[in-house]
Amino acid sequence: MAVKKGLFFIVLGLKTRYGPWWLGRKKLFYYLPPSLAQLKALAKARNDIALKESDTGSRAEKGTLVFDPMGDIPGKLFLSKSHLMTKNSDEKTLKWMIEIATQLGGRVKDNRNRTYRSCDDYYVDPADEEAARHNASLSS
């Protein structure tokens, strides 16, 4: 099966916060990405993970690229303050992401709210559906 095109994220959980006063202090759901410290620890334990500062991102906040220094995994992950993600992943990169997420106690999800157990086995978590519906209702 070919991996679907789109955005893929490693998330460690779902957190509820309240928006700023100009949004009416409405409840919003946010996904928690792994921290840079967690990824550095993982990079020390695994030889297929390396980190370097990304040359993309805003001037105020540069992101971090997570990649395979041996070149076996073609994709790269981008870590910003709010996401650890890749776009249009291939099968090898998605498998690698699932391994990383499992080690971190998280999961891989896409921008269609599907959580991946493997490249061809995914499900929709009810909490993700609820969060998506809730956040979408705020913008309409």
Side-chain angles (χ1 to χ4, degrees):
M1 174 197 136
V3 176
K4 304 246 188 282
K5 299 293 182 193
L7 301 175
F8 292 84
F9 306 90
I10 293 180
V11 297
L12 300 186
L14 185 63
K15 182 176 182 174
T16 304
R17 287 192 244 160
Y18 287 88
W21 62 269
W22 62 85
L23 292 177
R25 301 291 299 160
K26 295 178 182 170
K27 179 172 73 170
L28 300 168
F29 292 97
Y30 295 92
Y31 288 97
L32 302 172
S35 69
L36 183 57
Q38 287 173 305
L39 290 172
K40 284 181 178 179
L42 201 55
K44 285 182 182 178
R46 294 178 59 140
N47 61 358
D48 64 343
I49 296 176
L51 309 173
K52 74 175 184 177
E53 186 176 298
S54 172
D55 53 0
T56 60
S58 70
R59 277 186 262 145
E61 177 195 334
K62 288 287 186 187
T64 301
L65 283 180
V66 180
F67 64 99
D68 176 8
M70 299 179 298
D72 293 334
I73 307 299
K76 293 177 177 60
L77 309 179
F78 179 76
L79 175 68
S80 69
K81 187 190 299 186
S82 59
H83 296 99
L84 176 58
M85 61 162 287
T86 191
K87 185 175 180 180
N88 299 335
S89 176
D90 59 59
E91 195 169 313
K92 270 185 145 178
T93 303
L94 184 56
K95 285 179 184 177
W96 182 60
M97 287 180 74
I98 293 168
E99 287 176 19
I100 292 170
T102 301
Q103 265 190 289
L104 293 171
R107 59 194 171 104
V108 173
K109 67 182 285 308
D110 67 12
N111 57 325
R112 294 177 189 95
N113 287 319
R114 296 179 292 206
T115 296
Y116 286 78
R117 291 184 190 107
S118 68
C119 292
D120 55 356
D121 182 18
Y122 54 83
Y123 64 95
V124 177
D125 189 302
D128 293 339
E129 263 186 342
E130 179 187 345
R133 272 195 312 273
H134 176 79
N135 288 350
S137 73
L138 297 177
S139 62
S140 55

